[in-house]
Amino acid sequence: MMGREKVGVLGVARDALEVLGGQIRIARIERGWTQKHLGSVCGASERTISMIERGHPSVAIGNVLNAAVSVGVPLFQLDDPEELARIRHRGEERIALIPKRVAAQQEVPLELRDF
């Protein structure tokens, strides 16, 4: 069995993962839930919940968002799920208007690299 591939993330992304993981942990504890219970609610293992709460970058984004929604952590600072759906719809409309292909991009500047 092969181990998981190490995922490199930019500093800001790492901070965001840790902040979101911390918010999920706080909300879970405030509800009086164990990691095992949260995992059963959102369809993830207890180990996955532990990794989410520690901000581990290799956890699937769907698992992270499921955990956040399950404990009531607002996504994108929105408490209303219908507003998030409206924003998603507007984004889809904008994507439909942009070209299907983009030109090859230049290399990422060194100052933006974190790994």
Side-chain angles (χ1 to χ4, degrees):
M1 182 172 156
M2 293 179 49
R4 287 192 174 243
E5 184 177 328
K6 182 173 171 76
V7 177
V9 294
L10 299 174
V12 173
R14 183 179 18 260
D15 290 344
L17 287 167
E18 291 180 14
V19 167
L20 183 55
Q23 290 175 338
I24 291 168
R25 181 172 189 235
I26 290 166
R28 173 184 61 78
I29 291 169
E30 286 175 345
R31 287 176 177 262
W33 291 3
T34 64
Q35 289 178 337
K36 185 175 184 174
H37 179 75
L38 174 54
S40 70
V41 169
C42 67
S45 70
E46 184 176 356
R47 183 174 188 275
T48 297
I49 299 302
S50 174
M51 291 171 66
I52 289 169
E53 291 181 354
R54 288 182 283 128
H56 201 283
S58 70
V59 178
I61 189 73
N63 285 333
V64 176
L65 296 178
N66 282 341
V69 169
S70 295
V71 295
V73 172
L75 300 175
F76 307 102
Q77 299 300 313
L78 300 172
D79 291 323
D80 179 9
E82 291 180 18
E83 179 61 19
L84 189 56
R86 284 189 289 276
I87 291 170
R88 178 187 52 82
H89 181 70
R90 282 194 302 265
E92 290 168 350
E93 289 174 339
R94 289 183 66 196
I95 289 170
L97 297 174
I98 61 175
K100 299 292 182 209
R101 295 183 183 196
V102 292
Q105 298 296 308
Q106 295 179 353
E107 193 170 310
V108 175
L110 287 175
E111 63 271 11
L112 296 178
R113 296 183 194 174
D114 192 33
F115 52 95

